[in-house]
Structures are given as structure tokens and as C-alpha cells.
Amino acid sequence: MMQSLFISFEGIDGCGKSTQVKMLMNRFEKESITALLVREPGGTQISEEIRDVLLKNRNDKMAERTEALLMTASRAQLTKDIIIPNLESGTVVVADRFKDSTLAYQGGGRGLDLNYLVKLNDFATYELDPDITFFIDVTADEGNRRRNSGISDRIEKAGIDFQHIVREQYIKLAHMYDQRFVTIDGTLSPENIHKTIWTTIQNRKNS
Ligand code: ADP
């Protein structure tokens, strides 16, 4: 039996996170390891209601701090109701985005003070950190290209700039939290990336 493990996936939009999360969940199933997937924002009724508020106002007049508070409020409910109890019962929990997304998007992208966000995150997560954070790294151009399936004329310049700042922030976070961050070149094949991820998890389990 595998001891409980909390794994998060991070990276800019289009980096290949969902692809890897899916491959990893299939792998756990094949190996008969109980694993739970959580996606932010959402995952509990309260978190879903907060998600509605976030999405309805996404392009409207929501203040950046409100966005950060709502994101972390949703995370607090998910952490308390789902993540912590599952980890305590020995289940592996895989999070498609967790606290580092706040630091990268609201911190880097929207320029909010990182010190505030780190504290807010710790408060929201009952100071829970992932055991391993896989940062799938691609350039903003590559992420955009993948999201738009090659139709590059629809990409707004501001969109790419934003993704670029978010990526730079992730690179900074990988240095800040080098104990748990594993940076993977997202331009490798999905199979190769999965292999690295699985090997890392195996090594962690055996250490
Ligand atoms: P994310 O969840 O990070 O936004 P996705 O997993 O949805 O990214 O992938 C975005 C697109 O890139 C999809 O069309 C997917 O098939 C493709 N893709 C995923 N991983 C890779 C990879 N390693 N190399 C090339 N293309 C990839």
C-alpha cells in the first residue's frame, strides 16, 4: 500500500497539465492505488458557489484582491472538507492547480504583493503544502499556440504578456520552494513527461 501523498500540478494555460493529470490518474488506477483528483476552483458545494461568483464576474469589475480572496476561500473549503480528510485516510490526492496558482496568477499576473498572498494561502490551506508540485514548463508562446490549435491571429498581445509574467513567476516559485517543486520541460512528449512524473513519485514513495 502506498502512503498518502499530496501531489499538485502547476503551469500556464495550455502547458499540458490536464493531459498529465489524466495519465497519472490512469496509472494509479492500473496500479490499484486509490487516488482522488481535485480541481480548483470548486470541488465542494460551497466552492462551486464561489466559483460561480468568480466566473460570472470574471471579465467584469471584480477587484484583484476580491479575486484572490474568493480563490482562496474556495480553496479553504476544499482543503478542509476533501483534501485533509482524504490524506488522513491514506488516499493519494492529486490537485490540478493548488496554492501556487494564486501566487503565480494573482501574484505574478495581477501584481498583488506576494507576502500577503503567501499568508492568505497558508491561512486558507491550514498550512498544508503539497508533497510534490509538478511544474510543467512551456513558454507563453507555446501555451498559446496549443490553446489556439495554431490559429495565432486571435491571440491578443496582452494575453501573451500576461502568460509570460505568470510563467516567470512560476520559475521564481520553483526556486523558492525547491524542496517540493519538480520542473519538467513541457515540450517533451506526453509519454516522456509522464515517465518522469511516475519515477519521481516512485522515488518519493521509497524514500
Ligand atoms: P492545460 O491543462 O495545462 O491547459 P492540456 O493538457 O489541456 O493543457 O493541453 C493543451 C493542448 O496541448 C492539448 O491540445 C494537448 O493535447 C496538447 N499537449 C499536451 N501535452 C503536450 C505535449 N507534451 N506536447 C505537445 N502537445 C501537448
Side-chain angles (χ1 to χ4, degrees):
M1 201 189 91
M2 194 178 208
Q3 69 204 46
S4 88
L5 197 62
F6 183 26
I7 301 163
S8 68
F9 280 82
E10 298 283 353
I12 64 169
D13 298 323
C15 71
K17 261 182 306 85
S18 307
T19 304
Q20 289 305 320
V21 164
K22 212 167 149 194
M23 288 174 89
L24 181 59
M25 294 307 288
N26 287 340
R27 184 68 178 257
F28 278 134
E29 200 181 334
K30 224 188 274 169
E31 307 279 338
S32 304
I33 293 165
T34 312
L36 178 79
L37 170 63
V38 293
R39 271 208 188 90
E40 291 200 332
T44 69
Q45 197 194 317
I46 292 169
S47 303
E48 293 293 337
E49 287 184 22
I50 297 170
R51 181 193 172 94
D52 280 347
V53 177
L54 272 164
L55 296 188
K56 265 182 207 155
N57 291 285
R58 191 196 270 165
N59 299 317
D60 210 5
K61 296 188 181 75
M62 186 179 288
E64 283 134 4
R65 293 186 186 206
T66 310
E67 184 182 287
L69 287 163
L70 286 176
M71 283 286 183
T72 48
S74 165
R75 181 171 303 136
Q77 199 68 36
L78 180 71
T79 304
K80 182 168 189 282
D81 287 356
I82 309 283
I83 299 177
I84 290 175
N86 273 283
L87 289 173
E88 280 176 354
S89 70
T91 301
V92 173
V93 177
V94 178
D96 187 344
R97 297 199 177 284
F98 195 57
K99 61 203 299 186
D100 301 301
S101 285
T102 295
L103 304 181
Y105 282 81
Q106 278 75 49
R110 304 237 185 266
L112 293 179
D113 186 293
L114 200 62
N115 293 320
Y116 272 144
L117 294 177
V118 167
K119 281 205 175 131
L120 190 58
N121 254 340
D122 283 344
F123 182 67
T125 60
Y126 299 74
E127 300 186 353
L128 176 71
D129 279 332
D131 297 299
I132 311 172
T133 298
F134 291 109
F135 165 38
I136 317 284
D137 186 31
V138 297
T139 62
D141 279 340
E142 177 65 15
N144 258 308
R145 199 183 57 72
R146 287 183 188 178
R147 283 205 320 281
N148 293 287
S149 349
I151 308 166
S152 56
D153 55 341
R154 296 185 60 175
I155 301 167
E156 291 185 355
K157 186 81 174 72
I160 291 199
D161 287 347
F162 183 83
Q163 293 293 328
H164 180 71
I165 296 168
V166 173
R167 182 198 180 204
E168 291 300 310
Q169 186 79 338
Y170 270 126
I171 292 170
K172 222 191 279 175
L173 294 173
H175 289 293
M176 262 172 72
Y177 302 117
D178 61 352
Q179 295 291 307
R180 65 179 168 89
F181 258 75
V182 177
T183 302
I184 300 177
D185 177 356
T187 63
L188 299 171
S189 73
E191 291 72 25
N192 261 333
I193 295 173
H194 174 69
K195 219 184 253 176
T196 302
I197 287 169
W198 190 248
T199 304
T200 305
I201 292 170
Q202 292 299 107
N203 289 343
R204 180 61 65 100
K205 190 185 78 170
N206 296 329
S207 68

